[in-house]
Amino acid sequence: MKLGAVIITMGNRPDELRALLDSVAAQDGDRIEVVVVGNGAPVPDLPPGVRTVELPENLGIPGGRNIGIEAFGPSGAEVDALLFLDDDGLLPDRGTAELCRRAFEADPGLGILTFRITDPDTGTTQRRHVPRLRAADPLRSSRVTTFLGGANAVRTKVLAEVGPLPEEFFYAHEETDLAWRALDAGWMIDYRADLVLHHPTTAPSRHAVYHRMVARNRVWLARRNLPAPLIPLYLGVWLLLTLVRRPSPPALKAWFGGFREGWSTPCGPRRPMKWRTVWRLTRLGRPPVI
C-alpha cells in the first residue's frame, strides 16, 4: 500500500515539526509522501521533498486536514491511506508504517486505524486517548467507534465514499463525525496499541474556545448523524455528564453558550445513520447515547 501523511501546523513548533518529519522519513518500507499545511501561518523550512500548502487564514483542524487530503488528489486518491499526525508528535518506532500497511492489507473492511498516544517522558497514555468506554488498559487493542484526530491512518477509499472531515466544526468532535459516517457505510475502526505516537501530555481545555466548541459540536454531531429519537437521549446524557464533572462557572457558561449555538446555527447536511449502525455501535460497546 502507498501511504501519505498530512500534518497541519500553526508555524509555532518548528523543532517538533522537524523531529516528526524525520521520524516519518525513517519509517521502514516505501517512502511516505508528506504534505505540511500551514493553517493561516507560514510553513517553516522543511526537508527537501516535503510538499507544502500555506493557507491565508486558519481553517481549523478539519479544514486544514481536508486541504492536506486534496493535496494528494481528489479524496487523496494518489495514495491508499493517509496518516494524520499532530505536528508536535513523533513516531518512535520505525515499523509503524509497515504495521499500518499490513493491517489494511489483511482486512479489506478496515477503514481507520487509531494509534496509542504516549507521553515521551513518562510513557503514560491519558484515559481520553483510549477511544472506548473501557479505557483502563491502553495496551489492549480493540475495535472502536471513533478515533484520535492527530494519531491515525485512514484508507482513502473511506474519504471517497463518505466525504471529508466536517469543516464547520473547526475544532472538536470532527473525528467522531467521520467515524460514524464510516461505520454507517460498513467500514470498521481499530485501536491498535502497537501503533505508538509520542506526544506531550496536555489538557484539551488549554484552548480558549474548548468548552464552547465542544458543546456546539456535540449538538451538531447529533443533529447531523443520529436518528431523531436518539438526539435528545444523547444530548441529555452529555448534559448530565457535564454537570456531574462540575466545571468552573466561566467554563459552564461557555458550555451552555455553545449548546445553544448548536441548536440555533446550521450544522451541515443531515444524514441519520441506519438503525443497524446503532446496533453495531452498541455491540462494539458504545451505543450512540453516550
Side-chain angles (χ1 to χ4, degrees):
M1 293 190 70
K2 188 174 182 180
L3 298 182
V6 174
I7 302 164
I8 59 174
T9 183
M10 300 294 291
N12 56 349
R13 294 190 281 235
D15 294 339
E16 292 89 340
L17 175 58
R18 185 61 182 252
L20 170 62
L21 292 172
D22 289 344
S23 74
V24 173
Q27 291 295 299
D28 296 336
D30 294 339
R31 180 175 180 270
I32 300 173
E33 297 290 332
V34 180
V35 62
V36 174
V37 179
N39 210 358
V43 175
D45 291 336
L46 301 177
V50 176
R51 310 182 195 186
T52 61
V53 180
E54 290 190 356
L55 303 178
E57 60 178 315
N58 183 357
L59 300 182
I61 294 173
R65 287 184 176 142
N66 285 344
I67 293 295
I69 293 168
E70 294 302 307
F72 290 98
S75 301
E78 292 177 13
V79 295
D80 299 302
L82 284 168
L83 308 179
F84 295 90
L85 305 170
D86 278 350
D87 67 344
D88 56 344
L90 184 80
L91 296 175
D93 302 321
R94 295 173 60 99
T96 300
E98 278 294 282
L99 289 174
C100 289
R101 293 186 183 100
R102 291 175 196 166
F104 284 127
E105 288 169 348
D107 186 354
L110 178 63
I112 302 171
L113 287 166
T114 184
F115 300 1
R116 177 166 59 96
I117 296 178
T118 67
D119 184 276
D121 297 322
T122 66
T124 59
T125 297
Q126 292 179 271
R127 186 179 180 89
R128 69 185 181 91
H129 285 154
V130 183
R132 59 180 179 239
L133 292 180
R134 296 173 180 172
D137 182 8
L139 296 178
R140 178 174 67 88
S141 300
S142 68
R143 285 263 149 103
V144 290
T145 61
T146 188
F147 63 99
L148 307 173
N152 68 78
V154 179
R155 197 188 292 266
T156 52
K157 285 183 180 179
V158 174
L159 301 170
E161 183 174 352
V162 308
L165 294 157
E167 296 187 8
E168 307 96 315
F169 282 39
F170 196 85
Y171 166 78
H173 302 319
E174 67 271 6
E175 302 92 353
T176 300
D177 186 90
L178 177 59
W180 282 2
R181 286 183 281 129
L183 289 163
D184 197 47
W187 296 98
M188 298 303 294
I189 306 168
D190 278 0
Y191 167 74
R192 288 281 297 264
D194 55 342
L195 301 175
V196 177
L197 181 86
H198 279 177
H199 189 282
T201 298
T202 57
S205 55
R206 70 190 185 280
H207 299 292
V209 297
Y210 170 77
H211 297 286
R212 179 178 69 85
M213 288 196 173
V214 160
R216 182 198 68 183
N217 293 358
R218 183 79 69 183
V219 177
W220 282 358
L221 180 68
R223 289 175 58 197
R224 286 164 60 98
N225 295 287
L226 290 183
L230 294 185
I231 295 175
L233 285 173
Y234 178 78
L235 296 176
V237 167
W238 281 105
L239 173 60
L240 289 174
L241 285 174
T242 300
L243 295 175
V244 166
R245 290 168 178 166
R246 300 176 65 184
S248 67
L252 192 61
K253 180 179 179 181
W255 194 95
F256 274 110
F259 194 80
R260 288 191 297 270
E261 186 181 348
W263 287 107
S264 62
T265 54
C267 64
R270 172 166 165 77
R271 300 187 182 94
M273 66 177 65
K274 309 174 190 71
W275 283 103
R276 69 185 181 193
T277 304
V278 173
W279 176 237
R280 285 181 69 202
L281 290 164
T282 302
R283 286 190 292 113
L284 287 169
R286 190 152 197 166
V289 293
I290 189 169

